[in-house]
């Protein structure tokens, strides 16, 4: 009996001593992981702002041993979800939000013996070729975590860092895949209206056309602002010649206007008129690098239906402004192939 008493006292001393030792042991952690993604901040923010989206890329939520319950509100201030794992229960709550810039989250965790609080910040910074996302967590390990880390060589920080790295790669894959979604179809034969337009002409290699096209359209828009001329339609590119072998293009960028404009002799912005006629119309929803495929569908339609092309130049009309439409998958372009 006396021996049992001594053993009990010894165990008590070990437990109390261990508790004191681990309680004073530094358990703070500050973990940061970053990833550069070739996409605008708004598209990445769309993936992280709502906890319902997290299950698509967060390894912790895809773990079969973690049970998750989404809150009635899952985005915006006080958006939250709760979770239970093998060690305890926790809750994630959004406490701060700057659209397309940052998301701040408070994490509470209780293992039944002790509890801990952490602050998580996911920040987005626009860089030259896209966005850099930074994921940081700061907090302090509870008493049980400190003991497990020391006794079992359990490195909680390493696990968190690894999960963050995996999650950021998953976010990148999801965002980039979303940007590549596209569809195109032939609308059929339509009547095209006539009208005046301001234009500039140039020649270029195919790969240089997008940048040159934007520069030329900007010049036309500046001319219209200076001369107080209103747009009477959306911007377009008219293809006078497309050399598929050498990738050479002779083209004009144009903006429709309501009335005929007499430009100065030295001006590189000119005015012309498009005659009414018929054309095969093709619609593309997606990035501009899918235009060639959409053109091929239109050419195939013409051949299959025995149609004859007219001498009028084919053209593309851009229904969306890329500056205002961050996801290329939402670009809307119409292609017109004039026929007799």
């Amino acid at each position: 009996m006396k021996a049992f008493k001594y053993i009990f006292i010894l165990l008590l001393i070990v437990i109390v001593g261990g508790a004191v030792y681990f309680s004073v042991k530094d358990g703070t952690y500050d973990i940061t992981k970053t990833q550069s993604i070739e996409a605008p901040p708004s598209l990445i923010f769309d993936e992280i702002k709502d906890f319902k989206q997290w299950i698509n890329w967060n390894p912790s939520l895809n773990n079969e041993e973690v049970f998750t319950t989404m809150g009635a509100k899952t985005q915006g201030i006080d958006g939250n979800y709760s979770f239970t794992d093998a060690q305890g229960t926790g809750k994630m709550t959004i406490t701060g939000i700057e659209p397309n810039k940052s998301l701040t989250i408070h994490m509470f965790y209780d293992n039944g013996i002790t509890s801990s609080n952490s602050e998580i910040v996911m920040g987005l910074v626009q860089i030259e070729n896209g966005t850099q996302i930074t994921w940081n967590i700061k907090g302090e390990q509870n008493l049980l975590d400190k003991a497990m880390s020391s006794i079992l060589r359990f490195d909680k920080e390493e696990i968190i860092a690894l999960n963050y790295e995996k999650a950021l790669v998953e976010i990148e894959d999801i965002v980039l895949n979303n940007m590549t979604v596209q569809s195109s179809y032939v609308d059929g034969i339509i009547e095209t209206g006539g009208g005046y337009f301001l234009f500039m002409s140039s020649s270029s290699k195919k790969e240089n056309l997008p940048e040159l096209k934007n520069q030329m359209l900007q010049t036309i828009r500046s001319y219209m602002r200076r001369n107080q001329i209103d747009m009477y339609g959306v911007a377009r590119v008219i293809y006078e010649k497309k050399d598929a072998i050498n990738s050479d293009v002779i083209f004009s960028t144009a903006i429709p206007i309501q009335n005929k404009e007499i430009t100065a002799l030295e001006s590189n912005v000119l005015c012309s008129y498009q005659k009414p006629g018929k054309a095969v119309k093709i619609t593309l929803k997606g990035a501009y690098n899918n235009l060639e495929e959409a053109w091929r569908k239109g050419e195939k339609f013409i051949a299959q239906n025995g149609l004859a092309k007219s001498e009028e130049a084919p053209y593309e009309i851009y229904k969306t402004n890329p500056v205002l439409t961050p996801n290329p998958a939402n670009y809307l372009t119409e292609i017109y192939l004039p026929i007799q």
Side-chain angles (χ1 to χ4, degrees):
M1 194 69 181
K2 186 178 293 187
F4 178 79
K5 179 179 178 181
Y6 289 145
I7 293 173
F8 175 77
I9 294 174
L10 181 61
L11 287 174
L12 184 63
I13 293 173
V14 171
I15 292 172
V16 173
V20 172
Y21 171 77
F22 290 121
S23 65
V24 298
K25 184 178 177 63
D26 182 27
T28 59
Y29 55 88
D30 187 343
I31 305 166
T32 300
K33 291 296 175 181
T34 63
Q35 181 82 12
S36 295
I37 303 176
E38 293 185 5
S42 59
L43 297 190
I44 301 170
F45 190 75
D46 285 343
E47 288 301 318
I48 68 173
K49 69 180 182 181
D50 190 340
F51 284 137
K52 288 180 180 178
Q53 298 289 100
W54 283 40
I55 197 170
N56 296 327
W57 48 262
N58 192 326
S60 298
L61 297 185
N62 291 324
N63 190 330
E64 294 181 353
E65 297 180 356
V66 178
F67 299 94
T68 305
T69 302
M70 292 292 163
K73 181 180 181 182
T74 56
Q75 60 179 308
I77 299 297
D78 294 330
N80 65 87
Y81 76 87
S82 302
F83 63 92
T84 301
D85 59 20
Q87 284 76 45
T89 61
K91 186 174 183 180
M92 303 275 280
T93 304
I94 297 173
T95 58
I97 183 170
E98 288 187 76
N100 305 327
K101 291 185 178 180
S102 68
L103 193 68
T104 303
I105 300 164
H106 173 260
M107 184 175 76
F108 172 79
Y109 190 77
D110 187 347
N111 59 28
I113 300 175
T114 57
S115 61
S116 62
N117 296 278
S118 306
E119 183 180 73
I120 299 167
V121 178
M122 302 183 78
L124 304 174
V125 177
Q126 189 163 2
I127 55 179
E128 183 177 358
N129 295 319
T131 303
Q132 178 174 281
I133 177 171
T134 301
W135 194 352
N136 172 262
I137 181 171
K138 294 179 181 178
E140 183 170 359
Q141 292 180 325
N142 56 46
L143 183 61
L144 183 60
D145 284 338
K146 292 180 186 180
M148 289 179 64
S149 297
S150 298
I151 298 172
L152 303 178
R153 303 294 182 181
F154 175 78
D155 193 336
K156 183 177 181 179
E157 293 186 42
E158 184 177 332
I159 293 175
I160 293 175
L162 183 60
N163 280 341
Y164 278 17
E165 288 177 356
K166 290 180 179 179
L168 291 175
V169 171
E170 288 294 324
I171 291 174
E172 179 180 27
D173 289 343
I174 290 171
V175 171
L176 295 183
N177 285 334
N178 288 343
M179 293 172 66
T180 62
V181 175
Q182 64 91 20
S183 63
S184 60
Y185 55 88
V186 177
D187 297 85
I189 300 172
I190 65 162
E191 299 287 335
T192 58
Y196 292 101
F197 56 87
L198 293 175
F199 74 98
M200 290 180 65
S201 297
S202 184
S203 61
S204 169
K205 289 292 184 182
K206 181 181 174 181
E207 60 268 22
N208 299 326
L209 189 146
E211 182 177 356
L212 183 56
K213 174 198 73 176
N214 291 334
Q215 293 173 357
M216 293 164 65
L217 286 173
Q218 184 59 44
T219 300
I220 297 173
R221 291 189 180 101
S222 297
Y223 177 91
M224 294 173 69
R225 284 195 295 269
R226 290 195 306 270
N227 293 276
Q228 298 182 339
I229 302 171
D230 294 329
M231 294 178 62
Y232 205 62
V234 293
R236 62 192 63 188
V237 168
I238 304 167
Y239 294 92
E240 281 82 17
K241 181 181 178 182
K242 294 179 72 175
D243 186 341
I245 297 177
N246 299 312
S247 297
D248 293 327
V249 180
I250 299 175
F251 70 101
S252 298
T253 56
I255 297 178
I257 57 176
Q258 187 171 12
N259 302 307
K260 183 177 181 179
E261 176 75 13
I262 300 176
T263 60
L265 292 176
E266 68 277 9
S267 176
N268 55 2
V269 177
L270 305 175
C271 184
S272 186
Y273 180 79
Q274 180 185 24
K275 298 178 182 179
K278 293 191 299 183
V280 172
K281 177 186 174 184
I282 308 99
T283 299
L284 166 68
K285 185 177 182 182
Y288 296 140
N289 58 11
N290 298 296
L291 279 167
E292 286 298 324
E293 179 184 346
W295 273 74
R296 285 193 292 269
K297 289 183 178 181
E299 298 283 0
K300 183 178 180 180
F301 179 88
I302 290 174
Q304 288 178 336
N305 290 275
L307 303 174
K309 295 181 181 179
S310 75
E311 295 182 356
E312 297 294 321
Y315 54 95
E316 297 168 350
I317 293 180
Y318 308 104
K319 306 291 286 187
T320 48
N321 184 341
V323 176
L324 303 177
T325 310
N327 190 348
N330 294 325
Y331 291 178
L332 191 63
T333 309
E334 296 173 350
I335 302 168
Y336 293 85
L337 307 180
I339 57 174
Q340 296 178 7

